[in-house]
Amino acid sequence: LHRHREHSANAENLLPEVSNPGHGSSQHGAPTFPVIPEPVHPAPEVVQPAVDAYQAAAEVAHSARTLHQNEVHSPISTGRVFYGIMFDAGSTGSRIHIYKFIQKDPVELPVLDNEIYHAVKPGLSSYKDNPEEGGNTIRQLLKIAKKAIPKEAWSRTPVVLKATAGLRMLPEEKANALLKEVQEVLDDSPFFVREDGVSIMNGANEGVLAWVTVNFLTGHLYSNTRKTVGILDLGGGSTQITFLPKSKKTIETAPVTYISNFDLFNHTYKVYTHSYLGNGLYAARLAILGAKDANDVEDRVFTSSCFPKKYRGEVTIFGTTYKVSGIPDGYAGYKLCYYEVMKVIKGIVHQPYEVKGNSIFYAFSYYFDRANDTGLIDDRGGVLEVRDFKKRAKEVCNKMTKYGAINPFLCMDMTYITCLLKEGFGFKDSTVLQLTKKVNNVETSWALGATFDYFRNLNI
């Protein structure tokens, strides 16, 4: 299954920069890049700089050779246009984001010109027993980058792959085999590859970088309004919540690891962020069904009152196929399904003090997809309240014959989303959610934020 879109981004989406006095003295023969002054932006909600710029845990990188054999310098732009390639290796699919940046004036920041996005299914973790085939999916996506980026820019265009919950949940040996295979695929490409170019992303970083992407694209990091928006990302294997607290009590009552400091746009931000591994939509399905750690999956049928009573079927999750069914001599519906779902949320998800207020959150990934599947929003997205998910979940579960034809898991998924928002995070019924797949024609995900961060590390 392939999805392909090319976006033309809002010209105001500027790439963050850091000062780089060293470029003027690059080695002989290496391309030079115009020195760009530090940006000066109004601070939305700035806290005092922390001792550690970024307290999130280090990512797990697969070591490989630092550069291609023919590379002797960092990939720095010689002209007006430069590119970056970011792979999002998710639990249910692999996506390539190809960003084009334009340096319009040597004394101004570059602008994000457009994004090319393409996705394939399933995710890398489904190839846990066949790493070479997993590597082939990345190789196919690289062909799109070769078509999109001029040949003369290949050697100075960085390519990065970050894997998320799908690989985090695999045994270390299988995850490393996939990383090694992917590293070899990237090394064989004509693009610039650094030794930390393939890694399993730390979950906290996933939330922070998605927050950066959304607030950058919505203009909140540049505005004088002193407002930012929170983000809710529901993937297949994990889910993230990130927001900039307005109340000291939110920080004081949060587990210490849920508060992260990071530097961006010459400011230090202190955000509440956490990634719940195992609480993504597909991982939650396994937990609700009691199939999460089951060994005898071939001989078992996993039942749930979230399915129509007479339903029988099979589902493949993270590369393993499970037999599932309703409860023929039992009951089905929203209340019973909610009870089942509660068991995988209650006591696991922390309720931040502040979300009981009136903050606005952008929700994407499976929040968007399921709202779209059930008619709450169209393909353009829209604004919902938490109560809208609850109301539609009840309707889906109590009219399973109608909605079951769309997807037999709709009742379970919608009930899980409702329970996660209300019982998990503690949102009020009236909390406003902005459901979106893209902002200013750029995909809402952590990928753009990660590209910014990577360019900073390369001092571009």
Side-chain angles (χ1 to χ4, degrees):
L1 175 64
H2 296 264
R3 289 189 291 143
H4 179 258
R5 289 195 293 279
E6 181 167 354
H7 305 315
S8 191
N10 187 318
E12 294 304 309
N13 297 332
L14 303 177
L15 174 68
E17 274 297 332
V18 292
S19 59
N20 186 22
H23 274 316
S25 58
S26 59
Q27 58 184 306
H28 180 71
T32 57
F33 190 67
V35 176
I36 301 169
E38 282 277 3
V40 180
H41 302 298
E45 290 104 327
V46 181
V47 298
Q48 292 302 313
V51 176
D52 296 323
Y54 207 155
Q55 293 183 342
E59 296 177 4
V60 181
H62 174 74
S63 295
R65 66 179 186 269
T66 305
L67 303 174
H68 292 294
Q69 299 302 322
N70 63 343
E71 284 288 352
V72 291
H73 51 74
S74 291
I76 46 182
S77 177
T78 57
R80 297 179 65 246
V81 178
F82 61 102
Y83 301 84
I85 305 166
M86 182 64 65
F87 278 97
D88 169 1
S91 58
T92 56
S94 295
R95 306 112 193 170
I96 187 171
H97 300 257
I98 305 163
Y99 298 111
K100 178 183 178 184
F101 301 100
I102 297 180
Q103 183 67 45
K104 292 189 174 182
D105 189 310
V107 298
E108 292 183 1
L109 293 170
V111 299
L112 171 59
D113 182 61
N114 69 35
E115 173 198 50
I116 291 174
Y117 171 82
H118 197 95
V120 296
K121 293 182 180 181
L124 276 181
S125 56
S126 293
Y127 301 99
K128 58 184 180 288
D129 297 320
N130 190 356
E132 286 187 15
E133 196 59 38
N136 282 336
T137 65
I138 303 304
R139 189 175 282 109
Q140 295 307 308
L141 288 171
L142 277 171
K143 291 180 180 178
I144 297 163
K146 289 169 76 172
K147 288 181 180 178
I149 299 172
K151 194 171 185 177
E152 61 270 20
W154 287 356
S155 64
R156 62 177 181 266
T157 297
V159 58
V160 181
L161 182 141
K162 293 183 181 292
T164 56
L167 262 68
R168 281 185 219 133
M169 293 188 293
L170 285 182
E172 187 176 356
E173 183 182 335
K174 289 186 180 293
N176 285 339
L178 281 163
L179 293 176
K180 183 174 183 293
E181 185 65 35
V182 169
Q183 183 75 56
E184 290 174 0
V185 169
L186 296 192
D187 283 342
D188 288 341
S189 81
F191 301 109
F192 176 85
V193 186
R194 221 166 61 167
E195 73 171 18
D196 59 350
V198 175
S199 64
I200 297 177
M201 181 157 49
N202 173 277
N205 290 9
E206 196 172 344
V208 167
L209 294 173
W211 183 89
V212 169
T213 296
V214 171
N215 282 282
F216 173 77
L217 293 174
T218 54
H220 287 94
L221 295 185
Y222 289 86
S223 68
N224 284 309
T225 60
R226 298 183 60 81
K227 290 181 180 178
T228 57
V229 294
I231 65 101
L232 297 168
D233 189 356
L234 181 59
S238 62
T239 187
Q240 290 78 37
I241 177 173
T242 305
F243 64 94
L244 201 153
K246 299 172 187 173
S247 166
K248 286 184 179 179
K249 191 169 181 180
T250 299
I251 297 171
E252 291 167 356
T253 58
V256 65
T257 56
Y258 288 34
I259 304 299
S260 180
N261 297 284
F262 66 95
D263 287 331
L264 186 71
F265 297 150
N266 211 23
H267 301 303
T268 299
Y269 295 94
K270 179 179 283 190
V271 297
Y272 176 105
T273 185
H274 192 66
S275 178
Y276 293 91
L277 184 62
N279 279 93
L281 194 72
Y282 281 76
R285 286 180 178 182
L286 294 180
I288 294 163
L289 289 166
K292 184 179 177 182
D293 299 311
N295 296 318
D296 52 347
V297 293
E298 289 103 0
D299 305 322
R300 287 184 60 181
V301 177
F302 298 93
T303 62
S304 171
S305 55
C306 300
F307 294 128
K309 288 197 289 185
K310 295 181 180 179
Y311 172 71
R312 296 281 185 283
E314 289 187 345
V315 60
T316 300
I317 298 177
F318 307 143
T320 301
T321 300
Y322 302 87
K323 295 173 187 170
V324 296
S325 82
I327 305 172
D329 53 350
Y331 296 92
Y334 176 76
K335 285 186 177 180
L336 286 168
C337 184
Y338 200 86
Y339 177 76
E340 288 185 24
V341 167
M342 275 280 286
K343 292 183 288 187
V344 306
I345 290 176
K346 202 69 175 173
I348 295 172
V349 179
H350 178 257
Q351 295 192 355
Y353 169 76
E354 200 163 309
V355 300
K356 296 173 180 65
N358 297 313
S359 301
I360 295 175
F361 278 76
Y362 273 63
F364 40 94
S365 301
Y366 283 115
Y367 289 115
F368 180 98
D369 293 340
R370 291 302 172 264
N372 181 249
D373 292 341
T374 56
L376 282 174
I377 56 171
D378 60 20
D379 291 342
R380 295 169 297 178
V383 176
L384 299 176
E385 293 182 344
V386 169
R387 73 174 96 244
D388 295 320
F389 270 111
K390 180 180 178 181
K391 183 179 177 183
R392 189 54 53 92
K394 285 183 175 180
E395 183 181 330
V396 169
C397 290
N398 296 331
K399 296 181 180 177
M400 288 196 196
T401 49
K402 174 185 174 183
Y403 286 96
I406 304 171
N407 180 346
F409 277 90
L410 267 187
C411 169
M412 184 182 289
D413 291 350
M414 288 294 286
T415 303
Y416 177 71
I417 287 171
T418 302
C419 194
L420 179 63
L421 292 172
K422 288 177 60 63
E423 309 293 343
F425 297 131
F427 286 114
K428 295 194 301 186
D429 279 346
S430 58
T431 300
V432 174
L433 302 177
Q434 174 73 51
L435 277 291
T436 183
K437 254 203 177 334
K438 53 187 178 180
V439 176
N440 289 341
N441 294 317
V442 177
E443 293 285 322
T444 48
S445 82
W446 51 261
L448 181 60
T451 304
F452 290 165
D453 188 53
Y454 199 79
F455 275 130
R456 282 197 316 157
N457 292 338
L458 286 175
N459 288 324
I460 289 183

